[in-house]
Amino acid sequence: MAEIISGPEGIALGVQRLHAGGLVSFPTETVYGLGADALDAAAVERVFRLKGRPSNNPLIVHVSDEGMAGRVVETWSDDASTLAKAFWPGPLTLVLPRLPIVPDVVTGSGPTVAVRCPGHPVALALIEAFGGPIVGPSANPSGYISPTIPEHVRDAFDGEDLIVLDGGHCRAGIESTVLDLSGETPTVLRLGVIGAHRISESLGREIRVAEAQHAPEEARSPGLIGAHYQPRTPARLISGNDLPSAPSSAVLVSWSLETHPSGGVLIRMPEDLGGYAQAIYRALHEADRSAGSTIWIEHPPEPSDPDGRAIAAALHERLRRATHS
Ligand code: AMP
Ligand code: MG
């Protein structure tokens, strides 16, 4: 039985499980993670098995501070330090050459490791109390919608002996920005709430954004291409103009409508992009549980400010893949 536990008791139990090579789901500000001791290959293999995740899709290593990051990377570069000071704890993952102490299973046998310090008090308390780095891919079956409340994790892994630390509804709501610092030019591999413009500003120079979908060789892991974040109910992304033709069997996920035009289920989304990102996976879970035969997702609002545009681009990437057939 998967079980949700709150407070210090949960942290203590979580630490015990991690030391024993077990798994514990923990909240971060992005989504709920499936945690295991990052330096214990057998424990990390359990994460891959439980998620059904392809073994060549590397994991992010979660640390409590820059010092702990220094234990898994070859060199903590000036850029890494600058960005960690600007954005950690927070939704920015940094990819750097790894040290041999990191098991191959974590990195997909590649030469680099992805590290991030999550901005959630429960995640930080767990990592600090454990005293070492923890892997934390999203706590969902591979390819399915990411979890943003503890109940999503419990329901997905109901039959498993798994504890889920309660941290409420994740604040950012979509996965971290992933930035590769292992090459000449810093390169965004996955879009997130922290936009490339803010990373550029902080480093004081231009960076690149990899277009994984157009250049799969740039993806460096299957986690960055193809279908992902998918409800089981077929979903499509539609423009606001098409909403009035929605049949009642289509569940609508919309920020512009107040009622379903044919009397079906409508899940209303916030109009501000931060609120939209926080709400989207929860809305997709809810849509998937309802009796509709399809899910129609209205294109998110198009803001004009740079932070809003960055979130909109990250959302489009998630929604494109959630509706990919
Ligand atoms: P998830 O844990 O499901 O949010 O996925 C983490 C994502 O981070 C993976 O799909 C990869 O795209 C990316 N990632 C993790 N480690 C690396 C790495 N060493 N190099 C490049 N990308 C990575
Ligand atoms: Mg994931």
Side-chain angles (χ1 to χ4, degrees):
M1 263 289 288
E3 191 189 354
I4 299 172
I5 308 182
S6 307
E9 187 204 340
I11 306 277
L13 202 55
V15 167
Q16 263 178 32
R17 296 239 174 163
L18 292 172
H19 279 303
L23 311 186
V24 47
S25 176
F26 63 101
T28 77
E29 80 280 38
T30 61
V31 302
Y32 274 73
L34 194 55
D37 180 348
L39 305 183
D40 177 345
V44 176
E45 274 160 20
R46 279 182 206 110
V47 172
F48 278 89
R49 270 203 303 279
L50 187 59
K51 279 183 62 73
R53 181 172 172 115
S55 61
N56 54 350
N57 189 5
L59 301 183
I60 296 171
V61 169
H62 292 72
V63 297
S64 54
D65 53 30
E66 288 185 66
M68 195 181 280
R71 284 160 52 184
V72 296
V73 304
E74 206 173 69
T75 311
W76 191 242
S77 65
D78 290 347
D79 283 351
S81 179
T82 301
L83 294 172
K85 285 182 177 59
F87 299 108
W88 281 7
L92 178 65
T93 296
L94 303 175
V95 173
L96 288 156
R98 67 154 158 161
L99 282 175
I101 192 178
V102 182
D104 278 347
V105 61
V106 172
T107 66
S109 300
T112 57
V113 64
V115 286
R116 121 171 160 90
C117 174
H120 192 296
V122 174
L124 289 172
L126 180 71
I127 302 165
E128 274 162 20
F130 177 59
I134 298 174
V135 293
S138 51
N140 54 289
S142 194
Y144 191 59
I145 313 161
S146 302
T148 53
I149 55 174
E151 291 78 8
H152 291 157
V153 185
R154 185 194 57 201
D155 296 349
F157 298 113
D158 199 23
E160 302 293 330
D161 177 26
L162 178 70
I163 60 167
V164 185
L165 305 186
D166 187 4
H169 188 186
C170 302
R171 183 166 38 79
I174 58 170
E175 296 77 1
S176 60
T177 307
V178 177
L179 181 72
D180 187 356
L181 289 178
S182 68
E184 191 104 318
T185 309
T187 303
V188 174
L189 302 179
R190 178 171 73 185
L191 303 178
V193 166
I194 296 177
H197 65 291
R198 290 187 56 203
I199 297 170
S200 257
E201 259 165 41
S202 174
L203 292 177
R205 67 183 201 277
E206 289 299 307
I207 65 166
R208 292 180 56 230
V209 177
E211 300 218 22
Q213 56 278 35
H214 304 306
E217 68 280 5
E218 286 215 73
R220 288 174 223 179
S221 90
L224 293 165
I225 47 174
H228 208 72
Y229 319 112
Q230 294 213 325
R232 304 210 161 84
T233 313
R236 28 191 299 218
L237 195 53
I238 58 160
S239 82
N241 295 338
D242 294 329
L243 289 174
S245 65
S248 61
S249 59
V251 180
L252 291 184
V253 176
S254 164
W255 54 273
S256 69
L257 286 184
E258 290 192 3
T259 54
H260 192 299
S262 317
V265 176
L266 169 72
I267 299 170
R268 291 191 67 189
M269 297 297 290
E271 214 175 316
D272 76 284
L273 266 286
Y276 188 107
Q278 184 191 30
I280 186 62
Y281 288 143
R282 194 174 183 172
L284 292 181
H285 274 100
E286 193 183 329
D288 211 16
R289 276 198 314 270
S290 71
S293 57
T294 53
I295 302 170
W296 287 24
I297 308 164
E298 179 185 7
H299 276 280
E302 307 234 349
S304 51
D305 64 296
D307 287 335
R309 281 208 305 274
I311 301 175
L315 280 167
H316 267 283
E317 190 263 341
R318 303 309 191 278
L319 293 175
R320 195 178 46 73
R321 298 181 65 193
T323 56
H324 186 281
S325 53

